[in-house]
Amino acid sequence: MSPDTNMPVCDDAHGTLPACAPLAVPYVPFQQTGSKRYNQNEALCNGTLFPGLNLPFQLKSTKNSMASCPLCELQALEFVLVELGLYLDTHQDDSEAFALYQQFVAAEKTAREKYEAANGPLFQKSAANFDAWSAWLKEPWPWTYSEGGK
């Protein structure tokens, strides 16, 4: 027992409640090749692109609570790219997923260019595509929300 806390002394691989219980070990199911996929908005709402990995231990947002705007669509596309990239890290031979990744890269590029043409650059490096640096400093910023949205 530790004299300070009246709790047993446990090594780093164990917690103290209950006494020296093993720490939690997370489990993530292995994704199968050719897994079903949500569309990009459903993926963003569920926090995963793959229904088989949808382990709802937190409250998920609903489609109705997700704003429908060009920036929101761009965020959904970028989320799907991250998810597919992570999937491809462990399933590099899945040519269907890679083709889908390529399609989403093109869709994200088009959506980003359209958004930036209407609202200004999203990234500092994007300011190079404009006439002056002031395009980067122009408000509103992407995270400055307005009543009507952008």
Side-chain angles (χ1 to χ4, degrees):
M1 291 286 207
S2 170
D4 296 336
T5 62
N6 291 330
M7 298 292 290
V9 176
C10 303
D11 64 26
D12 286 340
H14 293 82
T16 57
L17 293 175
C20 294
L23 294 176
V25 178
Y27 170 76
V28 177
F30 186 78
Q31 293 169 263
Q32 302 299 314
T33 300
S35 300
K36 291 181 182 178
R37 292 177 290 273
Y38 290 124
N39 71 40
Q40 62 209 36
N41 290 331
E42 289 176 317
L44 189 58
C45 289
N46 286 295
T48 182
L49 178 61
F50 303 98
L53 297 182
N54 190 356
L55 306 173
F57 25 133
Q58 303 241 348
L59 291 176
K60 75 173 188 172
S61 60
T62 63
K63 282 186 181 181
N64 296 337
S65 70
M66 299 295 291
S68 178
C69 62
L71 184 59
C72 299
E73 291 178 27
L74 186 56
Q75 289 172 327
L77 285 166
E78 291 170 348
F79 179 81
V80 168
L81 284 173
V82 169
E83 286 282 285
L84 278 171
L86 292 170
Y87 172 81
L88 286 165
D89 284 344
T90 57
H91 297 79
Q92 64 271 11
D93 296 328
D94 189 338
S95 58
E96 180 185 344
F98 184 60
L100 189 61
Y101 183 84
Q102 291 171 314
Q103 291 172 9
F104 275 104
V105 165
E108 187 276 338
K109 181 178 185 238
T110 301
R112 184 174 23 85
E113 288 171 350
K114 182 179 175 185
Y115 179 87
E116 288 183 336
N119 302 291
L122 282 169
F123 307 102
Q124 276 185 331
K125 67 181 182 179
S126 300
N129 300 324
F130 289 80
D131 293 333
W133 184 255
S134 59
W136 169 245
L137 301 174
K138 185 182 126 195
E139 291 188 31
W141 293 89
W143 55 85
T144 306
Y145 299 104
S146 63
E147 188 67 30
K150 277 196 160 185

